[in-house]
Amino acid sequence: SFGGNLQHNFNYNGLIDNVAIWDVALDAANITKVYNSGDPFDLRSDSGNYNQSANLIGFWQFEENFGITSADLAGNAGLASFLNGATWSTTVI
């Protein structure tokens, strides 16, 4: 669940973009590369100090801007579905 907890009726009131999950902890060099790379950065390909594409298990950029789901670009975890009134935003943060 991104941005909420259905068991405790907690919903995040804000913007979420570019969610990624790896099956390892990223070291400082990888974190710095991802953080400083800008948007969009394709986490599916190693580049510079980023070398963890093989360990990426979920990656949602939320770029569809229609419907109520976002595709997992890593190809493993499936769709992220919008619940409880979540909507698309074109606001740049």
Side-chain angles (χ1 to χ4, degrees):
S1 176
F2 309 133
N5 184 322
L6 297 176
Q7 291 178 337
H8 299 288
N9 199 27
F10 169 77
N11 295 308
Y12 174 71
N13 185 17
L15 302 172
I16 297 175
D17 197 12
N18 293 322
V19 174
I21 301 171
W22 292 267
D23 63 1
V24 297
L26 299 184
D27 63 20
N30 279 283
I31 292 169
T32 301
K33 173 65 177 176
V34 171
Y35 181 79
N36 291 327
S37 292
D39 184 32
F41 175 57
D42 191 349
L43 300 172
R44 298 170 292 179
S45 299
D46 290 344
S47 173
N49 290 335
Y50 174 72
N51 59 6
Q52 293 298 322
S53 63
N55 298 96
L56 186 67
I57 59 173
F59 179 37
W60 299 266
Q61 283 190 310
F62 299 107
E63 301 293 330
E64 291 89 342
N65 205 24
F66 66 90
I68 60 168
T69 59
S70 185
D72 169 24
L73 300 177
N76 299 313
L79 297 174
S81 297
F82 292 6
L83 302 174
N84 298 328
T87 60
W88 295 101
S89 173
T90 56
T91 301
V92 177
I93 54 174

